[in-house]
Amino acid sequence: GTGDKKTVSEFGAFLKLSFSKEVLKNVMLQTKADFFHNYLHDDNPQIDVNWDVNIAMKVNEYLTANLITQLIWDEDIVNENGESKVQFKEVFGIGLAYSF
């Protein structure tokens, strides 16, 4: 074998928060945030964060749009320099629906 780890075991506290609300007419905001603290790493009081935000908009009878973001902070995930960084993803989508 190459010695690469395929799995990671962690034990700790997990908190999940979620919120959903129509903030404007035809604009729905949905967000959820997950927080995790690994008890096995007492030397590092780091809390891992995974936060998702979705804004769904109905533009008109035929057109919808979505803006989705995800932010991840996990000190165990590092780049090639050994530095942990915030990971951020943003997606914008447009949908078209038509009934025959």
Side-chain angles (χ1 to χ4, degrees), residues 9-15 35-48 76:
S9 297
E10 296 182 327
F11 173 75
F14 179 77
L15 175 65
F35 303 92
F36 178 76
H37 171 65
N38 187 351
Y39 291 150
L40 302 178
H41 289 170
D42 283 337
D43 58 326
N44 182 6
Q46 168 64 35
I47 296 177
D48 299 338
D76 296 330

Side-chain angles (χ1 to χ4, degrees), residues 48-61:
D48 299 338
V49 178
N50 185 356
W51 181 26
D52 298 314
V53 176
N54 181 8
I55 300 172
M57 300 162 273
K58 183 175 180 182
V59 178
N60 59 33
E61 184 180 355

